[in-house]
Amino acid sequence: MAKLLSMEDKDLGTIPSVTLRTSSYTDLDLSFTTKPDFGSGLATDVYKKFDADAVKQSIKNLLLTNHFEKPFDPYFGGNITRLFFELADDLTESEVEDDIKYAIETFEPRVEILNIFATIDPDTNSCIARVVFKVISTNKVTTLETDIARLR
Amino acid sequence: MATNITSTELDFENIKNSLKTYFAQKSEFNGYDFEASGLNNILDVLAYNTHFNGLIANFATNESFLNTSQLRSSVVSHAEGLGYRPRSRSSSKSTLSLTLDLSAVSSGSRPTNITLPIGTEFTASNEQGQFKFKTRVSYSATDSGAGIYEFLDTNGEPNVVVYEGQNKTKTFYSGTVTENQVYIIPDETIDTKDMSVLVYPSPTSEKFETYTFLENAITVTAATQYYDIKEAPNGYYELNFGDGISFGKSPDPGNKIVVTYNSCNSILANNSSGFSAVNDLSVDGNSYAISVNTQILSHSGMPREPIESIRKLAPIQFSAQQRLVTSLDYKGMIQSNFPIVEDVTVWGGEENVPKDYGKVYISIKYPINTTQFVKTETENSIKNLFSDNLAVMSIDNKFIEPSLTYMEIKTNFYYNDGLTSQSNSYLETLIRNYISTYFNTNLGKFESKFRRSPILTGIDNIDKSILASKMSIKLQQRFLPNVGISSAYDIYFPVALASANTNTYVITSSRFTVGGATCTLRNTLGTADIEIYNESAGKVQTANIGTYDYKTGTISLVGFEPTAIVGGSAYIKVSAVPLDPAVISPLRNYTLVLDESENEAFGNIEHTETKIVL
């Protein structure tokens, strides 16, 4: 016995049980690497990043940006490298962690921070930051680990 | 004030938002709206680039017009296109009386004439420091018979004019003619009115040719030796010569050009005093001290012409075309050539009261403390240097002092005392001060009009408690009577006066005495006759002492003989109600100022409830 629904309610039987999930977030891959052409010789597009990868790239970008680098938005960025121009002490790691937390909470509403670890290397004026976060729209937990260092 | 071409549509945020709007319509990228995303970074670059290009285009457009240019170099360049030369610095100058005492020399050994050479140096000082002055022409003196030599100018007057500054020299060697060389003088302190340009045929030659300033040239041919100097875009000065073909002679290749100019301190050296000669004067091998008597403190030193002045005067000068025909021509000429002039107004004799055909009336406003000597010298220069050469023949100048017309202002205002914690007297003071400031800012210049409604609007906005205001206005002229002498007087007001009515007096005056009685002038109610009112006795002392013509704003007194003036001043204030108090447009040389002693304000509390019975 075939069951039919009205035209307004659509016929469930014709709707596929598997649908394409649209990505919440799409972004350009900032490495600007092009996709392989598989020997065709034709120009190909650059890679994109989706969802958690896009958000991860965004957080890395945020942490590596200092104040006054973004045009017309002087207080955008983690502004973390300023701490590496001072002598490192017992509080520097927690300062880095606070700065990372503040920057992400202020500029990246797509994630929920789960944990932040900062390990300072005073000899090289740098630190390794490890951020564990959850992408709110997908509940996917991801970890970002990046080096932050003075350029000079 | 210059206007700017707007660039608000090119703001960074607006541009970036436009790009975001575009991406919002696309499904391909949806991370654009997060400030840290890669796409957002690219949007930053795109928006910044567009913003930057937009600003450059905006700046370039601004600088393309005289009205909107912001940079001095652009304004000067536009003015040059109109044939206008912005003024350079001008040296401060002073007039000295110089004598040399050779009375100790026997009369037979004394020379008949002694010459004071060009460039004789003097020093003087003011609160800014010490400055050097020098003569620009030579002066000669003859023996008085007693061995005293007084240096005289070409008019036979003992006026030796000295100018502040020191000579500087630049030497150039002429290149090939085809290169059309321009010679740069890297100095912003030049007074271009004091320059000499000598051209030597070779570096070792002692002979030279003198080139004259183009502005002084009457006709220019291929052989005319002239130089031209103008301000360069970087603020320095550029010297150039004719093309050597049709428009002036050009120095030949290899010629040595020696430029000597005066580098001056302009306004800093004004008001210098204590002049003394740097060196003694040598006469027949002996040195004699020059005795200096300062006739006048140094004056007329001015900085380079400011941008706003160039912007205003260049078009006027262009329309005048080096001729003095209209009143605007005179104004442009005087303001561009005499920086000491603060303001000027010019009108034809046919517009004067009384009419005076064939005359041009000029009234000049000078800075406070300008001496009569400087005023006379300026007026003589206007006549001799400009109007005699450029004006229509048979037209003479007549210089008139600016005439002050005082205004008496009585302001009544209504305020809600529940909206302010301030007292009535405090608000009254605020309003008096506001009116005083308004006059200082907006009036006091020729052709500045008094408009009542903007002041009332300003008063209403002084405090939120002020609900309404009104203002009564009188004009006041002051005249110096011949005390104790019967005389006739004509008192002119710059506007038409109210016609007589039977309720209020249109004409009133301050107090004076006649035979011991305190009196005032006023018009007889309902008529245009003027009477002397005896305040002591409360009756009319003298009827029909004169009349007033409300159309021409003239009061005529006949046989007026006050005994003394009450209050210690030398003048009597005559006040009149104007025909239209909403706008007072002073004519000719009248300027409007506030009589501070007659600036009154009265506060009235206005309660919000409406009473049924008045």
Side-chain angles (χ1 to χ4, degrees), chain B residues 488-530:
Chain B
Y489 300 93
D490 283 333
I491 302 161
Y492 298 103
F493 286 84
V495 294
L497 304 179
S499 55
N501 63 74
T502 54
N503 299 320
T504 55
Y505 296 100
V506 175
I507 309 293
T508 52
S509 81
S510 58
R511 294 189 179 92
F512 53 90
T513 60
V514 177
T518 302
C519 300
T520 59
L521 290 168
R522 69 184 192 188
N523 69 304
T524 307
L525 283 178
T527 75
D529 295 338
I530 307 292

Side-chain angles (χ1 to χ4, degrees), chain A residues 23-87:
Chain A
S23 298
S24 299
Y25 309 116
T26 322
D27 198 1
L28 284 171
D29 184 350
L30 283 182
S31 67
F32 290 105
T33 312
T34 52
K35 293 175 182 174
D37 61 0
F38 300 109
S40 69
L42 299 172
T44 57
D45 207 349
V46 293
Y47 278 111
K48 294 178 189 172
K49 284 191 181 290
F50 300 97
D51 297 330
D53 287 340
V55 175
K56 192 172 173 180
Q57 175 181 264
S58 177
I59 291 175
K60 185 178 178 184
N61 201 17
L62 176 64
L63 299 188
L64 294 177
T65 306
N66 292 315
H67 285 181
F68 299 99
E69 284 184 359
K70 193 175 172 76
F72 299 95
D73 194 358
Y75 299 112
F76 175 85
N79 201 29
I80 293 164
T81 50
R82 72 182 160 84
L83 296 169
F84 305 147
F85 286 89
E86 301 167 4
L87 289 175

Side-chain angles (χ1 to χ4, degrees), chain B residues 57 163 223 246 370 414 533 579:
Chain B
Y163 295 85
S246 60
T370 304
Y414 301 87
Y533 174 67
L579 178 64

Side-chain angles (χ1 to χ4, degrees), chain B residues 23-127:
Chain B
F23 276 105
Q25 297 161 359
K26 304 282 179 185
S27 60
E28 192 171 9
F29 294 105
N30 48 15
Y32 62 89
D33 206 12
F34 300 101
E35 290 298 314
S37 68
L39 198 61
N40 199 288
N41 273 261
I42 291 173
L43 292 189
D44 278 341
V45 174
L46 291 172
Y48 187 70
N49 191 38
T50 307
H51 169 75
F52 197 75
N53 284 331
L55 278 187
I56 288 173
N58 190 265
F59 290 152
T61 313
N62 263 329
E63 298 304 316
S64 299
F65 303 98
L66 182 62
N67 284 345
T68 52
S69 298
Q70 303 295 308
L71 300 174
R72 181 180 177 87
S73 56
S74 305
V75 176
V76 169
S77 174
H78 291 306
E80 189 187 344
L82 293 173
Y84 183 78
R85 283 170 200 278
R87 282 194 312 267
S88 69
R89 283 189 180 197
S90 49
S91 308
S92 186
K93 62 181 178 179
S94 182
T95 305
L96 309 176
S97 174
L98 305 179
T99 53
L100 209 62
D101 186 355
L102 270 71
S103 56
V105 181
S106 64
S107 59
S109 305
R110 292 196 297 258
T112 312
N113 288 302
I114 297 176
T115 300
L116 185 76
I118 296 173
T120 305
E121 289 188 332
F122 298 83
T123 58
S125 56
N126 61 14
E127 63 271 18

Side-chain angles (χ1 to χ4, degrees), chain B residues 95-212:
Chain B
T95 305
L96 309 176
S97 174
L98 305 179
T99 53
L100 209 62
D101 186 355
L102 270 71
S103 56
V105 181
S106 64
S107 59
S109 305
R110 292 196 297 258
T112 312
N113 288 302
I114 297 176
T115 300
L116 185 76
I118 296 173
T120 305
E121 289 188 332
F122 298 83
T123 58
S125 56
N126 61 14
E127 63 271 18
Q128 304 289 338
Q130 192 181 61
F131 298 95
K132 274 192 175 178
F133 289 73
K134 59 186 169 57
T135 54
R136 285 185 183 173
V137 294
S138 61
Y139 294 86
S140 65
T142 52
D143 190 353
S144 66
I148 305 297
Y149 294 77
E150 187 173 40
F151 292 96
L152 306 175
D153 62 12
T154 51
N155 296 323
E157 299 293 330
N159 297 329
V160 174
V161 183
V162 291
Y163 295 85
E164 187 272 329
Q166 56 180 348
N167 280 344
K168 290 186 178 175
T169 301
K170 303 283 178 197
T171 305
F172 304 95
Y173 290 97
S174 175
T176 56
V177 176
T178 52
E179 286 179 348
N180 188 23
Q181 285 205 327
V182 174
Y183 304 92
I184 306 292
I185 303 175
D187 194 339
E188 296 181 3
T189 65
I190 295 178
D191 177 356
T192 55
K193 287 195 166 28
D194 185 16
M195 282 186 75
S196 77
V197 177
L198 308 177
V199 177
Y200 295 77
S202 71
T204 54
S205 174
E206 291 185 355
K207 288 183 178 177
F208 58 83
E209 291 178 335
T210 304
Y211 280 58
T212 54

